[in-house]
């Protein structure tokens, strides 16, 4: 009986539709775990990068030197992309002879908001897939279970005397589909909730930096205009 009710034997004995459901759920599980690992690395990298950059930024480093240091590396992402976008727009507006502190604030703020939106979109990559897997996998598994149990009872209707040993394998193979649906859904839901919280924290951190950096650039612009007026 143990051999008859092993997972692989039950899978092989299942109907074609139930097998397709199981393979679909297995594919969802493999894809979601791949994305979980990839997103975990990406978000951890973004958090470390944000902390490292802010320590350097608030240590009193010269903004021009910091901008050149980051620009030399070529590839820029995360909070550094916000800084580069803002400082680049600040330098561009400052070249205009009739630039005002308000124009500096508006221009740099817009540039950094665009960069912020782009970075948040990057951080949220694959989260919608994890949410989809978490929401539909149990229903797909339940569909396979209902179909398998239905076939088992249809088969029982063709015999005169039904026994537990006759119905147990069919029900067991059907219930495996529900188990696989939960196996695919639970990690996906947990990862989606965790990653969404991490993205929200990073977005808030990035947003605070945008506002604070805009204020710094505005003060620098006011100070520069005052010096020129004298």
């Amino acid at each position: 009986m143990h051999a008859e009710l092993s997972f692989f034997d039950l899978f092989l004995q299942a109907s074609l539709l139930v097998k397709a459901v199981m393979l679909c759920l297995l594919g969802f599980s493999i894809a979601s775990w791949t994305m979980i690992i990839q997103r975990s690395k990406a978000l951890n990298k973004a958090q470390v990068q944000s902390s490292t950059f802010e320590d350097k930024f608030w240590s009193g480093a010269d903004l021009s030197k910091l901008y050149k240091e980051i620009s030399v590396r070529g590839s820029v992402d995360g909070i550094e992309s916000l800084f580069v976008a803002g400082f680049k727009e600040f330098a561009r507006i400052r070249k205009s002879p009739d630039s005002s502190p308000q124009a500096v604030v508006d221009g740099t703020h817009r540039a950094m908001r665009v960069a912020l939106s782009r970075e948040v979109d990057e951080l949220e990559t694959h989260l919608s897939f994890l949410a989809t897997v978490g929401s539909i996998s149990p229903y797909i598994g339940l569909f396979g279970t209902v179909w398998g149990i239905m076939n088992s009872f249809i088969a029982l209707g063709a015999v005169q005397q039904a026994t537990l040993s006759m119905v147990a394998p069919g029900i067991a193979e059907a219930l495996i589909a529900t188990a696989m649906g939960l196996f695919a859904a639970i990690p996906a839901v947990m990862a989606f909730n965790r990653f969404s919280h991490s993205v929200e924290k990073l977005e808030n951190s990035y947003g605070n930096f945008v506002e604070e950096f805009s204020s710094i650039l505005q003060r620098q612009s006011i100070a520069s205009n005052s010096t020129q007026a004298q």
Side-chain angles (χ1 to χ4, degrees), residues 7-230:
F7 175 83
F8 292 107
D9 286 338
L10 290 174
F11 172 78
L12 294 175
Q13 294 172 16
S15 66
L16 185 60
L17 181 60
V18 176
K19 286 180 181 178
V21 167
M22 292 181 184
L23 291 175
C24 177
L25 292 171
L26 180 61
F28 279 171
S29 180
I30 293 172
S32 64
W33 273 108
T34 301
M35 294 176 185
I36 287 171
I37 294 171
Q38 190 270 336
R39 280 294 88 196
S40 180
K41 291 180 179 179
L43 291 173
N44 288 338
K45 177 185 175 183
Q47 290 170 350
V48 171
Q49 182 193 57
S50 178
S51 178
T52 302
F53 174 80
E54 289 203 77
D55 288 343
K56 184 182 294 185
F57 180 84
W58 295 113
S59 66
D62 182 83
L63 297 183
S64 299
K65 291 182 179 178
L66 185 59
Y67 172 76
K68 291 177 181 177
E69 176 186 333
I70 295 174
S71 299
V72 166
R73 296 206 303 264
S75 177
V76 180
D77 56 6
I79 195 171
E80 291 181 346
S81 68
L82 308 183
F83 170 76
V84 169
F87 194 87
K88 185 177 181 179
E89 185 67 12
F90 170 74
R92 188 189 68 80
I93 296 175
R94 286 290 306 278
K95 292 179 181 179
S96 176
D98 57 346
S99 63
S100 64
Q102 188 59 43
V104 170
V105 172
D106 292 342
T108 56
H109 198 271
R110 281 195 301 270
M112 286 190 287
R113 278 293 169 185
V114 171
L116 172 61
S117 178
R118 189 182 303 115
E119 290 303 316
V120 171
D121 286 343
E122 178 63 27
L123 292 174
E124 291 178 341
T125 302
H126 301 320
L127 292 193
S128 60
F129 177 82
L130 292 177
T132 301
V133 170
S135 61
I136 70 172
S137 292
Y139 296 104
I140 295 175
L142 183 60
F143 170 73
T145 296
V146 170
W147 187 269
I149 292 177
M150 181 182 68
N151 286 339
S152 295
F153 280 109
I154 290 174
L156 284 177
V159 298
Q160 294 181 347
Q161 184 176 2
T163 63
L164 182 61
S165 61
M166 294 175 60
V167 71
I171 295 178
E173 71 189 31
L175 290 174
I176 288 177
T178 295
M180 291 187 67
L182 295 175
F183 179 77
I186 291 173
V189 171
M190 293 178 64
F192 173 79
N193 291 335
R194 176 174 173 269
F195 293 158
S196 295
H197 179 65
S198 297
V199 170
E200 184 179 357
K201 287 180 62 178
L202 283 168
E203 184 177 2
N204 290 336
S205 177
Y206 289 176
N208 291 336
F209 175 77
V210 166
E211 300 300 328
E212 291 167 342
F213 189 37
S214 295
S215 298
I216 291 173
L217 295 179
Q218 182 183 29
R219 289 195 296 269
Q220 286 194 1
S221 180
I222 293 174
S224 176
N225 287 354
S226 299
T227 302
Q228 291 176 2
Q230 294 175 359

